[in-house]
Amino acid sequence: MSIIVQKYGGSSVADAERIQRVSNHVIELKKQGHQPVVVVSAMGDSTDHLIELAKSINPSPSSREMDMLLSTGEQISISLLAMAIESQGYQAISLTGYQCGIQTDHFYSKAKINDIKANRIITELEKDNIVIVAGFQGMNENGDITTLGRGGSDTTAVALAVALNAELCEIYTDVKGIYTTDPRVVKTAKQMSQISYDEMLELAKLGAKVMHPRSVELARKNKMKLVVRSSFELSAPGTEIIEVNEMEKAQVRGVTLDDNIVRLSVPDVPDRPGIAYKMFSALAAQNVHIDMIIQNLTHDDRNDISFTVPKDDLELVQGIINQFIEEVGANPLLVRDDVAKLSIVGTGITSDATIASGLFGALYKMGINIEMISTSEIKISCIIDKARSKEALNEIHEFFELQKVL
Amino acid sequence: MSIIVQKYGGSSVADAERIQRVSNHVIELKKQGHQPVVVVSAMGDSTDHLIELAKSINPSPSSREMDMLLSTGEQISISLLAMAIESQGYQAISLTGYQCGIQTDHFYSKAKINDIKANRIITELEKDNIVIVAGFQGMNENGDITTLGRGGSDTTAVALAVALNAELCEIYTDVKGIYTTDPRVVKTAKQMSQISYDEMLELAKLGAKVMHPRSVELARKNKMKLVVRSSFELSAPGTEIIEVNEMEKAQVRGVTLDDNIVRLSVPDVPDRPGIAYKMFSALAAQNVHIDMIIQNLTHDDRNDISFTVPKDDLELVQGIINQFIEEVGANPLLVRDDVAKLSIVGTGITSDATIASGLFGALYKMGINIEMISTSEIKISCIIDKARSKEALNEIHEFFELQKVL
């Protein structure tokens, strides 16, 4: 007997029929002799409806009450899935986040899991129950309901798989697996059979929506075997996410495009020690994720500092930077939202100089200017003109022959 | 400072606008210097929608999973009401049944409250929060969510009022208070300013839908002052439910009609000691509430036994009685659903012989046959022809001059 954790997203349980289909698939796993622990999200767009209802009552509701409200979405899904399983003569039990012993910190709407006391789940598995768990939620020390924020249900699934020492964690979603790039933009995008945690993590951070970086990071840290599969084509094998296999040759495995960013420039910042630190620490204090930074010495003791941030943070960042400009004396902030970030991902690619030069060369041949570059061990990102970014995505996918990736 | 518990039913919180109105009313109470503890039901007919959804997945879902599902309804209401209060600059906190320490037995869908550990509520009141509580729900020893069944939110409100030693428990509903009879049937029905627990209890048991007997019983036992008021006409004074005031004269206070009953007859039951006991204990074991019983000796050692049960229990009762008939040898069960139960209620009315004879005489004058009679200290019930029962209700209301009741 082995525990397998499966996670089904909102679109997989959007209506009664889909819930029945999920229940069949879970029962299959049980029949094969496994102990299924099933994590589900709220049905379809029910969370959006609840948010809308809340905003009609209070435009800026407290996050504690929002968590109280939104956690009902998963509670509905788990009870319905348990009923569907029971209707076929199998034993099931639904458990909310707190009933599963998912203990979180106090940050409503973006709580982090501190610990999982899995004894209740283990007891139910011993009673031969299929255990259905509400994703996305937990409980803080006060006994109040918290939600885990974006990617919360994936995080619940991986964290439970780790806590239960599961054999495998399967993430069922509305796509067949992880692709070399966005198949809606690039027709020849290829689904990969395997990918390393590191590559998956970069792809997730760079805008591949399939899994949230946070859950991938948790799986990597605990070496939990992950599989991303389609809940609509259950026979499709999906993509396995595994430890790095030592590849002989560095290879580009994916290309991503993120156009949900803005580029900010602060011209003529005085060139004094600690001034960049002052600016970026003010941003970090507000939990703003700054991506790429360029600093150019312009003329006598003055710098232009440019950086990119997620579009959602723009308002917050403008407030912080304008205050900074006032304090140190710089020219007014320049904001550009006509840019996009194109990235290539693959283990070891930055240690093979031909790959970077190949990327830059291909963009140059298209006449596309690279405004900023940043690299990590396994990715190279370029800020380019948004208007031509989809064309570039196709070209780079083709250039690195990603349609042939395995 | 005094604690006042208010309960708002589903129709009072059916949409965003009504939730805003309730929040205003609660804030009024807070401004007057009270400590409001507010119990709410699920919004409008949201519970019906959830039941429908469940039945589309499993025609006979387990009651544990139904409770898991249905308890989300109140959780949505409480968070929205808390948000509405917060939007006006007052502090509020929503608490689910288990967060309020409402501990119940293990009977899903009809749980009874064993105990309330009110320390969380008290802590929140001390922090100057308006406390919003999910009605209808609690938690059993296993940490599983239970619901309290019919009248559950009223029961939550009264039980909390008792546990918190509240000054008052106000039940807000879609009528203005307790009437002498059903105002939809009798135009001259009069709202009473006061009524005793005993009378209210009988009225509730006899089909007045405003409050469930269970919550009235709990209030009576603990002498908790109750007021039934309208959430649509907040300035209306409602009906106070108080201890018996020693009235000099027995007086009819209300007339009720219950046509949700069936009359069952088992003809030719052998007249042996213990045989009625055998039959009724089989029914009691299934928790069937038997109302009126008549046993007629017909001929040599044979009895006809007739009784009434709620229509909802008919299928269950038929199964039990048919088995009984087979065991003891009696004629086939006769079922009649063309009957209704008309009752008059008032403290001391059965000790004043003129009241019973007045009732019987008035029905006789209308040419309405009384098929069964039962009495308690404060009520007299008659089974009559359903077709003429509304006419009779009007006539009896008039006969006892209930339009003049205070």
Side-chain angles (χ1 to χ4, degrees):
Chain A
M1 294 275 267
S2 67
I3 295 173
I4 291 182
V5 176
Q6 296 188 325
K7 179 256 169 174
Y8 294 90
S11 60
S12 311
V13 293
D15 56 37
E17 197 196 323
R18 290 187 191 176
I19 290 173
Q20 295 286 13
R21 208 177 332 155
V22 167
S23 80
N24 292 335
H25 195 59
V26 171
I27 288 170
E28 271 316 305
L29 194 68
K30 178 77 183 168
K31 282 184 187 165
Q32 287 162 21
H34 297 288
Q35 295 180 304
V37 173
V38 185
V39 176
V40 282
S41 300
M43 292 171 76
D45 46 11
S46 60
T47 302
D48 293 339
H49 289 174
L50 289 175
I51 292 172
E52 207 177 297
L53 187 56
K55 300 257 164 162
S56 78
I57 283 172
N58 185 334
S60 51
S62 72
S63 51
R64 181 194 184 273
E65 297 302 334
M66 273 309 267
D67 283 4
M68 176 67 97
L69 179 67
L70 297 185
S71 63
T72 62
E74 285 74 25
Q75 195 173 325
I76 290 173
S77 309
I78 55 171
S79 55
L80 293 176
L81 180 56
M83 289 175 194
I85 292 171
E86 287 176 342
S87 76
Q88 300 196 53
Y90 284 81
Q91 286 171 222
I93 190 159
S94 67
L95 298 172
T96 62
Y98 57 86
Q99 288 174 338
C100 292
I102 296 176
Q103 301 180 348
T104 74
D105 60 24
H106 284 72
F107 294 95
Y108 294 113
S109 87
K110 51 185 173 189
K112 291 212 161 28
I113 297 175
N114 283 337
D115 195 12
I116 297 184
K117 306 276 185 217
N119 42 315
R120 176 74 194 265
I121 296 181
I122 291 164
T123 307
E124 298 300 339
L125 289 174
E126 282 167 358
K127 289 186 201 159
D128 213 26
N129 281 319
I130 295 171
V131 176
I132 316 293
V133 175
F136 182 65
Q137 58 182 245
M139 186 177 261
N140 66 22
E141 272 179 4
N142 290 347
D144 286 331
I145 297 172
T146 53
T147 67
L148 308 180
R150 286 199 191 160
S153 289
D154 290 347
T155 304
T156 302
V158 175
L160 277 180
V162 170
L164 294 165
N165 200 16
E167 186 186 314
L168 173 66
C169 180
E170 295 183 314
I171 307 291
Y172 286 85
T173 178
D174 48 6
V175 297
K176 279 200 228 168
I178 309 300
Y179 284 75
T180 50
T181 192
D182 186 343
R184 289 166 304 183
V185 180
V186 179
K187 292 234 167 70
T188 54
K190 175 88 187 294
Q191 189 210 317
M192 291 177 269
S193 57
Q194 288 194 330
I195 188 171
S196 72
Y197 292 121
D198 288 340
E199 289 167 341
M200 180 69 216
L201 200 52
E202 282 293 355
L203 288 176
K205 282 184 184 167
L206 292 168
K209 300 280 188 319
V210 181
M211 283 196 78
H212 197 269
R214 167 179 186 193
S215 51
V216 179
E217 208 140 11
L218 191 61
R220 178 174 68 167
K221 204 169 116 188
N222 295 281
K223 298 184 181 169
M224 174 52 57
K225 191 174 154 193
L226 276 183
V227 181
V228 174
R229 298 178 61 178
S230 164
S231 63
F232 297 98
E233 292 186 53
L234 290 164
S235 55
T239 300
E240 258 186 305
I241 304 163
I242 51 169
E243 286 238 66
V244 192
N245 45 353
E246 295 302 330
M247 292 179 230
E248 293 206 49
K249 184 169 162 284
Q251 194 191 358
V252 178
R253 303 269 294 163
V255 201
T256 65
L257 191 64
D258 182 1
D259 56 10
N260 196 31
I261 57 165
V262 284
R263 177 189 165 144
L264 304 178
S265 299
V266 190
D268 287 333
V269 179
D271 186 24
R272 290 201 302 267
I275 203 128
Y277 168 76
K278 185 182 166 78
M279 183 171 105
F280 291 113
S281 61
L283 292 168
Q286 293 296 317
N287 219 2
V288 175
H289 175 72
I290 302 130
D291 190 24
M292 300 166 93
I293 303 171
I294 285 184
Q295 180 168 319
N296 295 326
L297 193 66
T298 46
H299 48 88
D300 336 302
D301 303 336
R302 292 272 159 175
N303 281 318
D304 286 352
I305 301 181
S306 297
F307 56 95
T308 60
V309 295
K311 205 171 278 177
D312 293 345
D313 287 340
L314 179 58
E315 205 176 325
L316 177 64
V317 171
Q318 279 179 313
I320 297 167
I321 296 299
N322 284 333
Q323 197 182 335
F324 168 81
I325 288 172
E326 206 167 297
E327 283 173 23
V328 304
N331 280 347
L333 180 64
L334 303 173
V335 179
R336 279 185 53 194
D337 64 357
D338 59 348
V339 294
K341 181 169 62 175
L342 183 138
S343 310
I344 58 174
V345 173
T347 305
I349 59 169
T350 39
S351 49
D352 179 344
T354 63
I355 289 176
S357 65
L359 170 67
F360 303 151
L363 290 170
Y364 169 72
K365 269 181 207 154
M366 293 180 74
I368 292 174
N369 190 36
I370 302 172
E371 301 190 18
M372 298 167 101
I373 296 169
S374 77
T375 62
S376 78
E377 214 162 301
I378 65 162
K379 72 136 202 226
I380 303 170
S381 296
C382 303
I383 297 297
I384 59 173
D385 181 12
K386 189 175 180 170
R388 297 195 64 195
S389 60
K390 288 187 180 175
E391 187 193 337
L393 188 69
N394 272 284
E395 182 62 32
I396 298 303
H397 193 266
E398 172 100 28
F399 179 83
F400 288 109
E401 298 188 318
L402 294 188
Q403 67 277 17
K404 295 181 188 163
V405 154
L406 295 182
Chain B
M1 293 276 268
S2 68
I3 296 173
I4 292 183
V5 176
Q6 297 187 325
K7 178 254 169 178
Y8 295 90
S11 60
S12 311
V13 292
D15 55 37
E17 198 197 323
R18 291 189 189 175
I19 290 173
Q20 295 286 15
R21 209 178 329 156
V22 167
S23 78
N24 291 336
H25 196 59
V26 171
I27 289 169
E28 271 317 306
L29 194 68
K30 178 77 183 168
K31 282 183 186 165
Q32 286 161 23
H34 298 287
Q35 295 180 303
V37 173
V38 185
V39 176
V40 282
S41 301
M43 292 171 75
D45 46 11
S46 61
T47 302
D48 294 339
H49 289 177
L50 289 175
I51 292 173
E52 206 177 298
L53 188 55
K55 301 258 164 162
S56 77
I57 283 171
N58 185 336
S60 50
S62 72
S63 50
R64 181 195 184 275
E65 297 302 334
M66 274 308 268
D67 284 4
M68 176 68 96
L69 179 67
L70 297 185
S71 62
T72 61
E74 285 75 25
Q75 195 174 324
I76 289 172
S77 310
I78 55 171
S79 54
L80 294 176
L81 180 55
M83 290 175 193
I85 292 170
E86 287 176 342
S87 76
Q88 301 196 53
Y90 285 80
Q91 287 173 221
I93 188 158
S94 67
L95 298 173
T96 62
Y98 57 85
Q99 288 174 339
C100 292
I102 297 177
Q103 301 180 347
T104 74
D105 60 24
H106 283 73
F107 294 95
Y108 294 113
S109 87
K110 50 185 174 191
K112 291 211 162 30
I113 297 174
N114 284 337
D115 196 11
I116 297 183
K117 307 275 186 221
N119 42 316
R120 175 73 193 265
I121 296 181
I122 290 164
T123 306
E124 299 300 339
L125 289 174
E126 281 166 358
K127 288 187 204 160
D128 213 28
N129 281 318
I130 295 173
V131 177
I132 316 293
V133 176
F136 180 66
Q137 59 182 244
M139 186 177 260
N140 67 22
E141 273 180 0
N142 290 347
D144 286 330
I145 297 172
T146 53
T147 68
L148 308 180
R150 286 197 193 163
S153 290
D154 290 347
T155 305
T156 301
V158 176
L160 277 180
V162 171
L164 294 166
N165 202 14
E167 186 186 314
L168 173 66
C169 180
E170 295 183 314
I171 306 291
Y172 286 85
T173 177
D174 47 7
V175 297
K176 277 199 230 169
I178 309 299
Y179 284 76
T180 51
T181 192
D182 186 343
R184 287 166 305 183
V185 180
V186 180
K187 294 234 166 71
T188 55
K190 176 88 188 293
Q191 192 211 314
M192 292 176 270
S193 58
Q194 287 195 330
I195 188 172
S196 72
Y197 291 121
D198 288 340
E199 289 166 341
M200 181 67 215
L201 198 53
E202 282 293 353
L203 288 175
K205 282 184 185 167
L206 292 169
K209 301 280 189 317
V210 180
M211 282 196 77
H212 197 268
R214 170 180 185 189
S215 50
V216 180
E217 209 141 10
L218 191 61
R220 176 174 67 167
K221 205 170 115 187
N222 295 282
K223 299 184 179 166
M224 174 51 59
K225 189 172 154 196
L226 277 182
V227 181
V228 174
R229 298 179 63 176
S230 166
S231 63
F232 297 98
E233 292 186 53
L234 289 164
S235 55
T239 300
E240 256 187 306
I241 304 164
I242 50 167
E243 286 236 68
V244 193
N245 44 353
E246 296 302 329
M247 292 180 230
E248 293 207 46
K249 183 166 162 291
Q251 195 190 358
V252 178
R253 302 270 295 163
V255 203
T256 66
L257 190 64
D258 183 1
D259 57 8
N260 196 31
I261 57 164
V262 284
R263 176 189 165 144
L264 304 178
S265 300
V266 191
D268 287 334
V269 179
D271 185 24
R272 290 200 304 266
I275 203 126
Y277 168 75
K278 187 184 165 76
M279 185 172 105
F280 290 113
S281 62
L283 291 169
Q286 293 296 316
N287 221 359
V288 175
H289 175 70
I290 301 130
D291 189 23
M292 302 167 91
I293 303 171
I294 286 183
Q295 180 169 319
N296 294 327
L297 194 64
T298 46
H299 48 87
D300 338 303
D301 303 337
R302 292 274 160 174
N303 280 318
D304 286 352
I305 300 180
S306 297
F307 56 95
T308 60
V309 296
K311 206 172 275 177
D312 292 345
D313 286 340
L314 179 58
E315 206 177 324
L316 178 63
V317 172
Q318 279 179 312
I320 297 167
I321 297 298
N322 284 333
Q323 198 184 336
F324 167 80
I325 289 173
E326 206 169 296
E327 282 172 25
V328 304
N331 280 348
L333 179 65
L334 302 174
V335 178
R336 278 186 54 195
D337 64 356
D338 59 349
V339 294
K341 181 169 63 177
L342 182 140
S343 310
I344 58 174
V345 173
T347 305
I349 58 169
T350 39
S351 50
D352 179 344
T354 63
I355 288 176
S357 64
L359 171 67
F360 302 152
L363 290 171
Y364 170 72
K365 269 182 206 152
M366 293 180 76
I368 292 174
N369 190 36
I370 301 172
E371 301 189 19
M372 297 165 101
I373 296 169
S374 76
T375 62
S376 77
E377 214 163 300
I378 67 161
K379 72 131 201 234
I380 304 171
S381 297
C382 303
I383 297 297
I384 60 172
D385 181 13
K386 187 174 180 170
R388 299 197 61 196
S389 61
K390 288 187 178 174
E391 189 191 333
L393 187 70
N394 272 286
E395 182 62 32
I396 299 303
H397 193 266
E398 173 100 30
F399 179 83
F400 288 110
E401 298 188 318
L402 295 187
Q403 67 276 17
K404 294 180 189 162
V405 154
L406 296 180

